[in-house]
Amino acid sequence: MMIHRILVSLTLTLFAYSGLTAQDSNWNFIERVQGTGYSLYGITYGNNQYVAVGELGTIRTSLDGVTWASRVSGIRNDLYGITYGNNQFVAVGNYGSILTSPNGVTWTSRTSGTTDLFFGITYGNNQYVAVGTGGAILASLDGVTWTSRTSGTSGVLHGISHGNNQFVAVGNYGSILTS
């Protein structure tokens, strides 16, 4: 009984020292995805699969989060954000890059009308909304045709989410925007 208490105490001390909680201990490092040295920046789940995007147009898909397959994006620009909505994946990144896919396997490059860098994208209220540098905000009903929206800021917007019937974007210097 004393050994058990010592082990429990030691385990809790190690978690406290590392900044982790007991709930955090369930994370498993799989591996760097099948030999690539490219960073992955965004991930989403849709159509019964995970899709991750990253450096130099990297796209990976997985049905279980453990075994990953490489997909051809057709571009060499970094991709930072991805979302799933309306039966379609949409990824965004450098130089106004926007890619769409119905299945996560085949990808089509779309024209954004800008060279801004986009960090985040979400789907809600029957539309896609992407955010990026210079306060850039783009909106699309279909993932193909994009319209620029006024953000009221020239700062970088890093992320966006939809919930409770509104979009909320966040960015540099604690910026928070709602629509």
Side-chain angles (χ1 to χ4, degrees):
M1 186 68 156
M2 181 60 114
I3 293 174
H4 177 72
R5 284 187 187 162
I6 292 170
L7 289 175
V8 168
S9 177
L10 179 59
T11 300
L12 292 175
T13 302
L14 288 173
F15 275 115
Y17 180 75
S18 68
L20 298 175
T21 66
Q23 291 82 10
D24 294 328
S25 66
N26 293 330
W27 286 91
N28 297 310
F29 179 76
I30 303 302
E31 66 180 288
R32 286 189 174 79
V33 180
Q34 281 80 24
T36 181
Y38 298 133
S39 295
L40 297 170
Y41 301 125
I43 189 166
T44 195
Y45 183 83
N47 198 24
N48 297 311
Q49 68 182 323
Y50 297 95
V51 179
V53 297
E55 193 173 12
L56 296 174
T58 298
I59 297 178
R60 304 282 187 263
T61 62
S62 175
L63 297 177
D64 60 9
V66 176
T67 305
W68 292 83
S70 296
R71 305 302 179 184
V72 176
S73 68
I75 66 168
R76 298 293 289 165
N77 296 335
D78 292 348
L79 297 170
Y80 293 106
I82 185 166
T83 194
Y84 181 80
N86 198 26
N87 297 311
Q88 177 172 242
F89 292 98
V90 180
V92 297
N94 273 351
Y95 307 109
S97 298
I98 297 179
L99 301 174
T100 61
S101 174
N103 56 18
V105 176
T106 57
W107 292 85
T108 303
S109 185
R110 304 297 182 177
T111 302
S112 67
T114 181
T115 58
D116 290 319
L117 185 156
F118 289 94
F119 288 112
I121 185 166
T122 195
Y123 181 81
N125 201 28
N126 297 314
Q127 66 180 321
Y128 303 94
V129 179
V131 296
T133 57
I137 297 179
L138 291 180
S140 175
L141 296 176
D142 59 7
V144 176
T145 305
W146 293 85
T147 304
S148 180
R149 302 287 187 217
T150 303
S151 70
T153 182
S154 60
V156 176
L157 298 174
H158 291 282
I160 185 164
S161 185
H162 182 269
N164 201 26
N165 205 31
Q166 73 176 348
F167 291 95
V168 178
V170 296
N172 280 9
Y173 311 112
S175 300
I176 301 174
L177 288 75
T178 62
S179 174

